[in-house]
Amino acid sequence: LKTPGAWRRRIHPEDRAAFDAAIVAHFRKQTRRFLCDYCYRATDGSWRWARQRGVALRDARGRAVRLIGSVGDITELKQAEEARRRSDERYDLAMRAINEGVYDWDIVNDKTFYSERVYQAVSMSPDDYTTAKGWRDRIHPDDLPKYDAALVAHFKRKTDRFECDVRYRGNDGKWHWARQHGVAVRDAKGHAVRLIGSTGNIDDLKNAEHALRQAHQETTEALERQTATAEILAAMSGSMTDAKPVFDVIVKSCYSLFKGSGVALRLLRDGVLHVEANVGYDAGPLPVDRGSAVGACVLDARTIHFPDLEVAAVEFPRVRQLGLKFGYHSGVYAPLLHSGKAIGTIAVLRPKRGAFSEKEVALLKTFADQAVIAIENVRLFNETKEALERQTATAEILK
């Protein structure tokens, strides 16, 4: 290694161009000093890393005449850097996989560092928020109490770490979901002085959870409806001479499906609606007039639905009296239709205000249809029985 050429030949072929370029740049005064990291062939034949520095001594015309510097082995340093690079790469991939980024909140000075992955995960820019308050201002008002409670609980050592799911306002003006984790760094007295953790968007997770809950709820409701239908059919087959047991099962099933509600099934006789089966309330017989929702339901042969009893009371004065007496604030009435005319009603009243869903209204209509079928079954059975008795009597007379 007595000449620069001998040393240069030990440099890895892929690094020689960079080595030469660094020397030329320094000789041309483009850099203040020569500096280059490269691989070289060691005496044992292995490739190792070297770092070479140098400063040119120049003549009166500024031309480099000597290069004085140092060279040393930095293989361990490069290995450590490579290990760190791979670790950072794995960490970045992990953060990308869970769609999260890192934050560091200096609680004492209220300064917060957010990694680039945070801004990418929540689709925001560094100008949108730079402090903990900036992020807090974006959290949905309904979620702030639980967010603050989770922070306080962790700061008071009641939890091993801070964790909370909250809705936040995105730059698109819509509400999105974020999950935030954190662990407090404490001073000698145990007071939290920093909070370090990660945060990211979990819209997909929340949507999947919602879809799963909805599917489970729909499956449960479908099973409950099927069970109710089976019970009603069983009641019909076991009570061919009297519809009252079927009415009782229909009202019971309706009460079970419309939890917390009052249910009443009425039939029209001599211009008055008489209660045949009920659960939760009993207003007694009612005249058929437009002063009540049940009366209008029969007169118009249509379903009447009122989400707010106070509003409905303007059209149906008796509704308000019923609501005050039993504490109901919304309701729906379905007519029992036979040949296009109403022969009775089935009603559901509930304590809370709000509209019934289309599925709930359709379900009540189904119960009304089943009540009419039960009535018709009894009528047909009795007519068939009477006809059979007449035929038997005629046969005996002819005999």
Side-chain angles (χ1 to χ4, degrees), residues 231-248:
E231 291 175 351
I232 293 170
L233 292 175
M236 287 181 182
S237 63
S239 180
M240 299 301 294
T241 60
D242 184 7
K244 181 63 169 65
V246 180
F247 294 159
D248 290 337

Side-chain angles (χ1 to χ4, degrees), residues 167-193:
R167 288 163 292 177
Y168 68 94
R169 178 79 75 179
N171 286 349
D172 57 4
K174 298 179 181 179
W175 291 109
H176 299 276
W177 278 96
R179 174 165 293 171
Q180 190 169 347
H181 313 269
V183 176
V185 177
R186 304 178 184 274
D187 59 17
K189 296 181 180 180
H191 298 150
V193 294

Side-chain angles (χ1 to χ4, degrees), residues 22-33 56 58-64:
I23 288 182
V24 171
H26 181 58
F27 287 171
R28 292 180 176 177
K29 297 186 178 183
Q30 295 173 357
T31 58
R32 295 179 59 185
R33 64 173 181 170
R58 303 177 184 277
D59 58 18
R61 291 184 294 180
R63 298 179 60 183

Side-chain angles (χ1 to χ4, degrees), residues 7 10-11 39-49 73 75:
W7 174 251
R10 285 183 173 267
I11 296 175
C39 282
Y40 72 96
R41 177 78 74 178
T43 54
D44 61 0
S46 63
W47 289 105
R48 298 182 65 82
W49 278 94
D73 187 278
T75 302

Side-chain angles (χ1 to χ4, degrees), residues 118-125 128 168 170-172 201:
V118 171
Y119 299 117
Q120 294 173 2
V122 298
S123 300
M124 295 182 187
S125 66
D128 295 323
Y168 68 94
N171 286 349
D172 57 4
N201 181 282

Side-chain angles (χ1 to χ4, degrees), residues 104-122:
D104 183 350
W105 176 23
D106 181 347
I107 302 172
V108 177
N109 300 307
D110 192 24
K111 293 182 179 179
T112 308
F113 162 78
Y114 297 100
S115 70
E116 184 64 27
R117 284 295 313 158
V118 171
Y119 299 117
Q120 294 173 2
V122 298

